Amino acid sequence: MTQIEEVSIDQFKHLVSERALTGETMLLNMGPQHPSTHGVLRLLLELDGEIVVNCIPDIGYLHTGIEKNMEAKTYQKAEVMTDRLDYMNPMGNNLAYVMAVEKLVDLDVPPRAQALRVILVELQRIASHLVWLGSVGLDLAAMSMFLYCFREREQILDIFELVSGQRMMTTYFRPGGVWRDVPVEFEKAVREFLKIFPKRIDEYETLLTKNPLFLDRMLGLGLLDAATALSYGVTGPTLRASGVDWDLRKARPYSGYEQYDFNVPVLTEGDTYARYLVRIQEFRESLKIIEQALNKLPFGPVRSENRKFVPPPRSEIGVSMESLIHHFKLWTEGFPAPRASVYSAIESPRGELALMLEGDGGPKPLRVHLRTPSFDNLSVLPHIVKGHLVADLVAILASIDIVLGDIDR
Amino acid sequence: MGVEQKLGDMGVVTTTLENVVNWSRTNAMWPMLFGLACCAIEMMAAQASNYDMSRFGMELMRASPRQSDLMIVAGRVSKKMGPVLRRLYDQMPEPKWVIAMGDCASCGGVFNNYAIFQGVDEVVPVDVYVAGCPPRPEALIHGVLTLYEKVKGEKFKDLAEKYG
């Protein structure tokens, strides 16, 4: 095991201001083990008293080599890696990946599978925002928010367990559709959630939205204007709180989002409080989408009939030798994909999650590259925390909603 | 509902000091508030309303290693994080225990590659391994209770040898 390197101020000379070298300002480490960095992020802070003069994020403490690992696996097997990428949003990562594979090999997806994908991805968005809201509460010492939010999140995880057998790392979406049809209890479980969740959002709002203590910690902090946000490549609720109406679900609809009627919440204040409000409103919009998708959920197959890429169903394997061989070949050798490069992007709870996939004619991808929203959103942090107190840095960092698995990958 | 009500007129109870100390350690074991990756979210869920680990005397997650007895390594440990993890472990006061939560911390999990330690036991000594990717909150609680069984059987003599 390698030792922690002892560092001297000389190594940070180019990153910090002149005043740090004379000892006028202080350098302070925040992280990698810190309850408010939402994972293993290290922030090197240059402080003048309690004012942040400079903030230098140091990432890579969770570097997992996911892209490289995916290149060593066949197209079906690489999917399990995407679950563990942004671990608040496994369903969304799966969707970005299977859409890329479908685009690469030109595979059709039945309408029922598309609608199921939308329902589950929107549930995942709610679950992700719930974890966010809970941990913002914890950061600002509102412990009860954490307990309330995780209560509702458990209900969503129960639905995921119902459809896929796993709470978090579901790998439920597969190239050409979904793993299997949802059980009959699915609709009841989702309707139950749709029924109680609006009241629960009101409950959260009663606790926070007008709470003077909460407002004191959130209003007017970390101002981010639209031009800066765009120049840093910020996406998602953080961008929409700065007044830019950009949501891939509206701008470049995928998986049948164009059929659903929903609004994209946009606010112009660009502060920490606006980011909170945008996410609260997204709860309600996600519920609208889920309800519509559930009401007109079409019947039919949930997986493409194209046997070149989709294994035969279990029922067939028992009676047909050819199907058994075919299934075996698909899982041991995989399917070849053409020599081409595709790009698929979705709107994850944190912003624009995109995946570039390059085929080389064989069963494994030649190159996988991910454009992850947290990485770009974090890049704007040093810009927006300058001049704030260290205590406010916690609120600002929480408001851009980063996931370290998403940044370091 | 205190111990007085249950024991009532029992009078004198004799036991060994070892038993009393071990018993008290199992009922107030403070874990370190330290999450790495996906498992950290399940660890949070185990702390939250539905599973509520505080039933087992573990409601106090301490953000500082100097106040904690138990390190739950929740997630994959990268080559860059390994030395930091070791330093945190060294800063914990003795006696201390480690739970490797999840497949990545136990054996590297699906990430058999250049960036991840193939098991956190390469960095710190591990007492209990919890399987799953990620383990359910119940599994983590089971891991904790398994650790309690281990702690209840510990001998002062062994601890003195272990920590010098």
Side-chain angles (χ1 to χ4, degrees), chain A residues 118-132:
Chain A
V118 167
I119 295 173
L120 290 166
V121 164
E122 289 304 319
L123 282 173
Q124 183 78 73
R125 188 184 312 278
I126 294 176
S128 170
H129 282 355
L130 280 173
V131 175
W132 172 81

Side-chain angles (χ1 to χ4, degrees), chain A residues 1-2 4 33 40 58-59 61-65 69 81 84 146-147 150 153-154 161 166-169, chain B residues 33-34 38 41-42 48-51 63 76 78 80-81 83 87 110-111 113-115 123 133 136:
Chain A
M1 195 183 69
T2 48
I4 302 177
Q33 188 262 332
V40 282
D58 179 9
I59 60 172
Y61 286 98
L62 198 62
H63 176 64
T64 318
N69 241 19
M81 293 290 163
R84 287 145 184 92
F146 167 73
L147 297 173
F150 269 69
R153 182 172 176 270
E154 286 298 327
E161 199 178 353
Q166 247 277 36
R167 279 160 58 89
M168 278 172 75
M169 306 306 167
Chain B
L33 179 53
F34 174 51
C38 334
I41 310 297
E42 285 297 66
S49 6
N50 285 36
Y51 295 97
R76 48 204 188 232
S78 70
K80 188 172 178 178
M81 194 63 199
R87 180 168 284 189
V110 283
F111 303 111
N113 63 21
Y114 65 94
V123 187
C133 189
R136 300 176 59 91

